[in-house]
Amino acid sequence: MVVLPGDIVPIPESEQTVRVGPGLRQDVANIVVAKAGILKQSVTGDRVWVEGNQRRYVPQLNESVIGIVTAKHVEGFRVDIGGAHPATLGALAFEGATKRNKPNLEIGALVFARVCLANKDMDPELDCVNPSNGKADGFGEVKGGFMFKCSLGLCRSLLDPKNPFLQHLGAICPFEMAVGMNGRVWVDAGTPKQIIVLVKALLGSEAVPYSKARTYVKEFKSDLTSVE
Amino acid sequence: MNTGEQPVSTSERNFVTAALREGLRVDGRGAYEFRDLAINLGDGGYGSAEVLLGKTRVLANVAAEVVRPNAANATEGFVHFNTSFSPMASPAFEQGRLTDEEVLISRMLEKALRRSRAIDTEGLCIIAGEKVWSIRIDIHVLDHEGNILDCACIAAIAALLHFRRPDITVEGDNVIIHDMDERNPIPLSIHHIPICITFGFFDNGDRVLVDPTHLEEQVQDGNFIVVVNTHRELCTMSKAGGASLDVARIIQCTEVAAAKAAEVTELVRTALSKVIIRISIYCQHINQFITKVQ
């Protein structure tokens, strides 16, 4: 269902507590739409959110993002995640970090992190550990490779387990990728040429339907496999 | 608040330079290749041009009004530039606060188009010392993906070429401004078409690129701007800071710029001729309609 800002959405019937996701806000007893998009609901019915396409990022709790370290402080780092405000990343919010053993991130480093605090009137906060087991689970600094910016819609489609482009591209040329929900994607592959072609293919995939993925990816095959 | 430049990560910075050393650009272009250029004319009436250079988007609008000239230059009209950088284009732009980059772009546009005398200001005179046309060019940067200057320059000159001012009749001290429907409006007299070509250089001037993207602009060691027209006349050059370039490089850049400017001018001309064909067909229809009515 397409919704527009200001629309009132009926609260879904569910035995569990209903959680309101991105694009919706609670206004007294109603759930009001805050951005244009398609209203989505989880299978269990306890989560509702609005999916739209935009370029500016609005931090949301538990989303994984890619940030750039812009400043170092005693208690942590200041990280740009593309939102209206910079985020803070605590020095202790890493796997195995103690007061004596803090991670050393340089200014300009890329971090793959999770938004652990996203309140309306506060700067967002990040962490690089899974809160349930204290493990890094892939979060932390990402080195080398290349990061490109894209629309939030493309980010979401890259995280879709059904996305065929990644399968087909990966079959031609193995590559590593980290997708942040803030419109930033990090890729690494064997050679700079492969990375450039991959970035081009991924950016172009936004306008191609899933059904045409195979033929679309074929166009890049020769560029991806050529050895200089 | 996040103000000023968007940060660049070390990994982006290293990748851009590493790829360049292998002769590759991040978007897969050649070193002297422009991004796709699209020119839309007349969507907002006469003197409106929207130019897309890759994902960079600039809208230019031209307007004219009758004003009193300066006492010192009684026969010269006015040409004003008005640049606005919408925060919609990039988070780096803020309403009501100019960054150095924005000031530089506005200044360069003035130099490229006004100081190169592309517009015949004497031709804007109606009655010497009394009434002259004042031309205003509003430039709106709508999307910033690098190289705003080249894009804005193309938009401005395309808008000026497309612009038509109302026809006038002078009877003694009285001036009649004819309605656009009453008499065919008149184009401005444009002496030449200055085209701005920006080079970005890397590795202390060893590697030179044309039309840098936003990321390349952030990583580059410096830039070099050449304004040139199809007659290979150099209008303006600018090299504000950055790594030094040797003379051979500069000559090579101007050669490339002259060739690129010719290509761009051709694109502007094609866009204009398409619109003019559209207008003439429209005029034919109107004339046919009028004769039928009579």
Side-chain angles (χ1 to χ4, degrees), chain B:
Chain B
M1 277 299 287
N2 251 357
T3 51
E5 257 313 272
Q6 296 300 99
V8 203
S9 68
T10 333
S11 102
E12 285 168 288
R13 195 177 288 278
N14 291 346
F15 184 77
V16 171
T17 37
L20 272 179
R21 285 188 189 129
E22 291 191 21
L24 297 163
R25 279 176 86 167
V26 173
D27 51 5
R29 271 186 292 160
Y32 293 147
E33 203 178 325
F34 251 70
R35 285 171 287 177
D36 289 340
L37 185 67
I39 304 169
N40 294 321
L41 289 166
D43 285 347
Y46 283 122
S48 148
E50 189 186 18
V51 174
L52 265 153
L53 183 61
K55 279 182 180 162
T56 299
R57 187 190 293 263
V58 175
L59 176 74
N61 263 315
V62 182
E65 62 173 338
V66 178
V67 294
R68 180 176 279 275
N70 277 341
N73 303 315
T75 57
E76 273 189 27
F78 296 99
V79 178
H80 291 292
F81 285 88
N82 213 342
T83 33
S84 81
F85 298 79
S86 154
M88 188 172 77
S90 159
F93 299 145
E94 246 181 273
Q95 208 87 61
R97 199 180 59 95
L98 284 177
T99 62
D100 290 351
E101 192 194 4
E102 294 169 48
V103 176
L104 204 80
I105 291 170
S106 315
R107 289 270 304 133
M108 271 310 290
L109 270 175
E110 290 233 339
K111 273 193 205 165
L113 294 162
R114 195 159 61 142
R115 305 255 298 269
S116 76
R117 304 206 149 268
I119 307 154
D120 176 16
T121 44
E122 301 250 315
L124 295 172
C125 179
I126 303 169
I127 302 172
E130 288 293 324
K131 289 182 176 72
V132 292
W133 285 107
S134 166
I135 307 289
R136 194 183 75 228
I137 303 135
D138 290 310
I139 293 159
H140 303 274
V141 177
L142 302 177
D143 208 346
H144 178 16
E145 253 312 307
N147 205 4
I148 294 174
L149 181 60
D150 292 10
C151 191
C153 184
I154 298 167
I157 196 72
L160 281 167
L161 287 165
H162 184 251
F163 181 68
R164 300 287 186 274
R165 64 168 173 81
D167 199 2
I168 47 166
T169 317
V170 183
E171 289 171 352
D173 274 353
N174 278 336
V175 177
I176 303 162
I177 299 177
H178 296 284
D179 203 78
M180 294 264 197
D181 305 328
E182 195 182 333
R183 279 207 204 169
N184 278 343
I186 294 171
L188 297 174
S189 85
I190 309 276
H191 291 312
H192 62 110
I193 304 176
I195 298 291
C196 189
I197 308 286
T198 303
F199 296 88
F201 49 88
F202 297 79
D203 278 350
N204 288 315
D206 286 346
R207 278 162 222 284
V208 180
L209 302 180
V210 101
D211 183 23
T213 61
H214 188 41
L215 179 61
E216 284 165 345
E217 275 179 354
Q218 286 177 305
V219 176
Q220 73 196 5
D221 292 331
N223 67 356
F224 179 52
I225 303 159
V226 182
V227 182
V228 66
N229 63 20
T230 34
H231 313 300
R232 297 172 63 84
E233 287 166 340
L234 210 53
C235 305
T236 306
M237 282 211 270
S238 162
K239 195 194 160 302
S244 53
L245 283 180
D246 54 27
V247 180
R249 257 301 172 214
I250 290 175
I251 292 170
Q252 185 199 350
C253 282
T254 44
E255 281 297 328
V256 173
K260 285 283 145 193
E263 281 174 34
V264 174
T265 314
E266 203 44 54
L267 284 171
V268 174
R269 287 240 166 86
T270 335
L272 274 166
S273 61
K274 271 184 197 155
V275 175
I276 286 162
I277 290 167
R278 216 162 66 201
I279 292 174
S280 62
I281 291 171
Y282 172 74
C283 288
Q284 271 174 15
H285 283 306
I286 297 270
N287 287 338
Q288 278 171 2
F289 178 72
I290 292 170
T291 44
K292 266 183 204 165
V293 170
Q294 282 168 346

Side-chain angles (χ1 to χ4, degrees), chain A residues 187-202:
Chain A
V187 244
D188 198 6
T191 63
K193 170 110 195 251
Q194 283 175 331
I195 296 179
I196 289 170
V197 178
L198 279 169
V199 170
K200 204 175 171 187
L202 291 173

Side-chain angles (χ1 to χ4, degrees), chain A residues 61-62 93 114-116 127-137 139:
Chain A
L61 190 65
N62 272 331
R114 185 185 71 100
V115 178
C116 63
D127 63 15
C128 285
V129 280
N130 184 336
S132 57
N133 57 12
K135 287 280 189 318
D137 275 355
F139 290 120

Side-chain angles (χ1 to χ4, degrees), chain A residues 20 29 94 136 186 220:
Chain A
V20 170
F94 290 85
W186 173 86
F220 298 96

